[in-house]
């Protein structure tokens, strides 16, 4: 199994400041045949299901504010919120979908709070 | 607009079988090439994929749960179901049904049910 490890486990950032969450996979999730990274990011607020933010490591889902961006390749990835808003308080998860079928795995989550 | 809704008992006794159903509305479960999945989340913990099913009945299961899990589909009712046998307190979780964003084998999920909490307790 590909193990996904996020850092930090929790993060407190001031409103309007940048938030950065890291995700590392135990093996590469870059598929050489199409040069795509099989990595997604989700946001989960209390009492709600996860919401897809980013897929293919850097493609923003429709309707997701452009302050959210994803970057990285291979085994190291980053979710960046450029200017933190109050509504961004949530737990964020990365997920690899390189392993198929059904071998996808999630990171343990990063809790983002307001400082 | 396609929607998913989980239903089933919120309390199950240890050693018994947990049974949940996901009802698909706003579209047909058999009209797309998607696999339909179950994912769970223990209270305060992360996400764990349980298994997925195609409308034809083809299934994939998480190897760690495979011996206790059965997923089935009823296309006439536009539903798919989950059974987890011999449950323990470790099976206490919010159970989500979900559908991947695109058909095929590489699954990231853009459609989720609201989730249902199942507690295993005597």
């Amino acid at each position: 199994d590909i193990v996904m490890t996020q850092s930090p486990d929790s993060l407190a950032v001031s409103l309007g400041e940048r938030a950065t969450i890291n995700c590392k996979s135990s093996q590469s999730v870059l598929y050489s045949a199409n040069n795509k990274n099989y990595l997604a990011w989700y946001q989960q607020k209390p009492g709600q299901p996860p919401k897809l933010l980013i897929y293919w490591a850097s493609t923003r889902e429709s309707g997701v504010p452009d302050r959210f961006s994803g970057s990285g390749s291979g085994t190291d990835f980053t979710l960046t919120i450029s200017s933190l808003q109050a509504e961004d308080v949530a737990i964020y998860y990365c997920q690899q979908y390189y392993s198929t079928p059904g071998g996808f795995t999630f990171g343990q989550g990063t809790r983002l709070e307001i400082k | 607009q396609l929607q998913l809704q989980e239903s089933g008992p919120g309390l199950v006794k240890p050693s018994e079988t947990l049974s949940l159903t996901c009802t698909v509305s706003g579209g047909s479960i058999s009209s797309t090439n998607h696999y339909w999945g179950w994912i769970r989340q223990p209270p305060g913990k992360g996400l764990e994929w349980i298994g997925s099913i195609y409308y034809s009945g083809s299934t994939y299961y998480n190897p760690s749960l495979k011996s206790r899990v059965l997923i089935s589909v009823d296309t006439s009712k536009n539903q798919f179901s989950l059974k987890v046998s011999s449950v323990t307190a470790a099976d206490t979780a919010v159970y989500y049904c979900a559908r991947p964003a695109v058909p095929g084998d590489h699954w990231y999920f853009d459609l989720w049910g609201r989730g249902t909490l199942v507690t295993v307790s005597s």
Side-chain angles (χ1 to χ4, degrees):
Chain A
D1 285 2
I2 298 178
V3 178
M4 307 301 290
T5 303
Q6 293 180 227
S7 62
D9 288 333
S10 63
L11 179 64
V13 174
S14 301
L15 290 172
E17 296 298 306
R18 179 185 301 262
T20 302
I21 298 170
N22 301 301
C23 176
K24 187 175 184 67
S25 58
S26 60
Q27 63 188 75
S28 177
V29 298
L30 172 63
Y31 188 40
S32 58
N34 58 14
N35 201 35
K36 287 188 172 184
N37 287 283
Y38 286 61
L39 191 284
W41 289 97
Y42 298 84
Q43 175 193 66
Q44 187 178 32
K45 297 181 179 180
Q48 297 183 17
K51 174 188 175 183
L52 179 66
L53 296 177
I54 303 279
Y55 54 96
W56 299 127
S58 61
T59 301
R60 203 178 301 114
E61 172 73 337
S62 175
V64 173
D66 61 7
R67 65 180 180 273
F68 291 90
S69 63
S71 62
S73 185
T75 60
D76 292 280
F77 300 90
T78 300
L79 174 70
T80 300
I81 307 172
S82 61
S83 176
L84 189 71
Q85 306 298 304
E87 61 264 32
D88 301 333
V89 170
I91 299 176
Y92 292 84
Y93 294 93
C94 62
Q95 178 222 330
Q96 64 81 16
Y97 48 100
Y98 182 91
S99 299
T100 65
F104 62 91
T105 46
F106 294 92
Q108 82 276 18
T110 295
R111 183 180 300 274
L112 177 59
E113 300 173 330
I114 305 293
K115 184 186 291 183
Chain B
Q1 182 180 355
L2 203 62
Q3 292 184 326
L4 307 179
Q5 178 67 60
E6 305 88 351
S7 59
L11 181 64
V12 181
K13 290 182 168 56
S15 80
E16 295 189 346
T17 296
L18 176 162
S19 296
L20 296 174
T21 296
C22 181
T23 300
V24 180
S25 59
S28 172
I29 200 170
S30 55
S31 66
T32 69
N33 291 327
H34 291 82
Y35 273 78
W36 303 83
W38 288 99
I39 295 168
R40 70 180 184 179
Q41 185 173 35
K45 296 188 178 181
L47 299 156
E48 179 182 39
W49 171 68
I50 302 170
S52 297
I53 190 165
Y54 195 58
Y55 74 87
S56 65
S58 173
T59 53
Y60 292 102
Y61 296 118
N62 186 326
S64 69
L65 297 168
K66 187 175 183 178
S67 64
R68 298 193 294 126
V69 170
L70 177 66
I71 297 176
S72 58
V73 63
D74 187 336
T75 55
S76 67
K77 294 182 179 180
N78 228 27
Q79 296 175 334
F80 60 104
S81 298
L82 170 70
K83 292 186 185 298
V84 182
S85 62
S86 305
V87 297
T88 69
D91 294 306
T92 293
V94 175
Y95 285 76
Y96 296 102
C97 53
R99 192 206 70 175
V102 294
D105 294 337
H106 298 277
W107 301 334
Y108 58 93
F109 297 86
D110 68 337
L111 183 63
W112 298 70
R114 296 180 66 179
T116 187
L117 174 63
V118 178
T119 301
V120 178
S121 175
S122 55

